[in-house]
């Protein structure tokens, strides 16, 4: 029993290709989540250096260690979120 492919009815469905997707991670557009990851990493390293190596108090080390994360949050949420990307994509 052979089936002729030309006689088959093909179903076409729309897919969500990469250019159609919203491009969001953790609710942030584009690659903004990398700024938060970098700010968090820098904050943890700063906290460890100030508290462990230079023997600051925990609260004294936490305040300057929060600055990189705060700057990354400010940049991502206040300055870039909801704005158009500067990168232009070619359309084929």
């Amino acid at each position: 029993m052979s089936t002729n492919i030309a006689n088959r009815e093909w179903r076409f469905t729309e897919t969500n290709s990469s250019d159609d997707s919203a491009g969001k991670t953790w609710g942030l557009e584009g690659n903004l989540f990398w700024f938060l990851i970098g700010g968090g990493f820098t904050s943890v390293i700063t906290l460890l250096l100030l508290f462990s190596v230079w023997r600051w108090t925990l609260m004294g080390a936490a305040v300057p260690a929060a600055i990189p994360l705060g700057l990354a949050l400010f940049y991502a949420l206040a300055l870039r979120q909801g704005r158009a990307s500067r990168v232009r994509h070619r359309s084929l």
Side-chain angles (χ1 to χ4, degrees), residues 9-65:
E9 211 175 292
W10 295 96
R11 290 182 9 177
F12 292 100
T13 59
E14 292 184 21
T15 60
N16 192 10
S17 65
S18 63
D19 13 328
D20 293 339
S21 72
K24 290 188 175 188
T25 304
W26 300 337
L28 298 171
E29 299 168 352
N31 291 329
L32 289 178
F33 72 97
W34 286 113
F35 289 101
L36 296 183
I37 298 242
F41 179 77
T42 306
S43 292
V44 168
I45 294 299
T46 304
L47 181 68
L48 287 173
L49 287 174
L50 292 176
F51 183 67
S52 298
V53 176
W54 289 301
R55 305 284 186 204
W56 286 29
T57 64
L58 182 59
M59 287 309 294
V63 172

Side-chain angles (χ1 to χ4, degrees), residues 67-83:
I67 292 172
L69 182 59
L71 289 174
L73 278 168
F74 176 73
Y75 175 75
L77 298 178
L79 299 179
R80 293 299 307 265
Q81 181 75 4
R83 301 241 184 344

